[in-house]
Amino acid sequence: MNKPISERFNMDHDALAQSIFEPYAHQFIQKRSYDERNQLAAQSFGQKGRDWSEFGEILATITNNPLWKTRMAVTRLHEDWHLIVGEAIAQNSRVGRLNAGELTIFVSSPAWATQLEYMKEVIIQKIHEHIKSIEVQQIRIIGPQPEPFKRKRY
């Protein structure tokens, strides 16, 4: 007949059980804690402090942030770009980012980059007419980037 495992490993019976089951006990405690929090949340649903009006207040606080307003204006600029500059220019250009009053515009060819360089002031004026909350002082136009030179082996 085989000896019990605790005798084979020369360990106390309780110490052996503790060393085997301790990692699992931690997982059980986490699961129980998670279940208790879910039950508590379900019980407090609809009570004071869980109203939708507070969510609206939080959302209003977020949207009143000046950084948020700037980002929303830039998003509107992305969406309305074809209305501001016209379809032909919009098909060959896209809005990049707005950083410290400088708007970056990416164009599809050097010819479009040259054309838009001459139209910077008009574009800034049209942006201000269309979106009053955006502050664009300069426009930076970036044409297509050439492929890096690679030496070919013959």
Side-chain angles (χ1 to χ4, degrees):
M1 186 168 168
N2 291 336
K3 291 182 179 180
I5 293 176
S6 59
E7 288 180 16
R8 276 194 265 172
F9 289 117
N10 294 327
M11 292 180 74
D12 180 38
H13 180 70
D14 294 333
L16 179 64
Q18 182 180 2
S19 66
I20 291 173
F21 294 110
E22 190 167 339
Y24 299 107
H26 178 67
Q27 291 176 357
F28 176 74
I29 290 170
Q30 282 182 331
K31 171 79 169 117
R32 186 176 59 195
S33 169
Y34 178 76
D35 290 341
E36 288 171 356
R37 281 185 281 137
N38 278 346
Q39 186 178 11
L40 183 64
Q43 290 172 353
S44 68
F45 184 76
Q47 295 183 4
K48 187 175 180 181
R50 308 263 317 202
D51 295 334
W52 286 103
S53 61
E54 288 190 25
F55 176 73
E57 291 171 8
I58 292 170
L59 192 58
T61 304
I62 291 172
T63 56
N64 286 334
N65 183 344
L67 183 60
W68 178 272
K69 287 183 178 183
T70 302
R71 288 182 179 166
M72 291 302 292
V74 171
T75 302
R76 185 165 174 218
L77 181 63
H78 279 276
E79 292 175 0
D80 295 346
W81 183 241
H82 65 282
L83 299 173
I84 296 169
V85 296
E87 290 295 329
I89 295 174
Q91 288 176 355
N92 292 291
S93 65
R94 66 181 172 85
V95 176
R97 60 183 267 186
L98 177 66
N99 188 15
E102 181 182 62
L103 178 67
T104 305
I105 299 174
F106 295 97
V107 293
S108 61
S109 70
W112 279 105
T114 304
Q115 185 69 23
L116 291 183
E117 281 289 335
Y118 293 120
M119 299 175 64
K120 281 183 179 181
E121 295 301 321
V122 175
I123 293 172
I124 290 173
Q125 181 183 3
K126 285 189 174 191
I127 289 172
H128 287 285
E129 287 173 6
H130 193 80
I131 306 170
K132 304 214 182 330
S133 62
I134 197 165
E135 295 183 22
V136 177
Q137 284 93 27
Q138 293 180 330
I139 292 181
R140 181 176 178 205
I141 297 172
I142 299 178
Q145 302 299 315
E147 291 291 323
F149 177 73
K150 293 182 182 178
R151 188 174 212 171
K152 296 183 180 180
R153 292 187 174 194
Y154 297 100

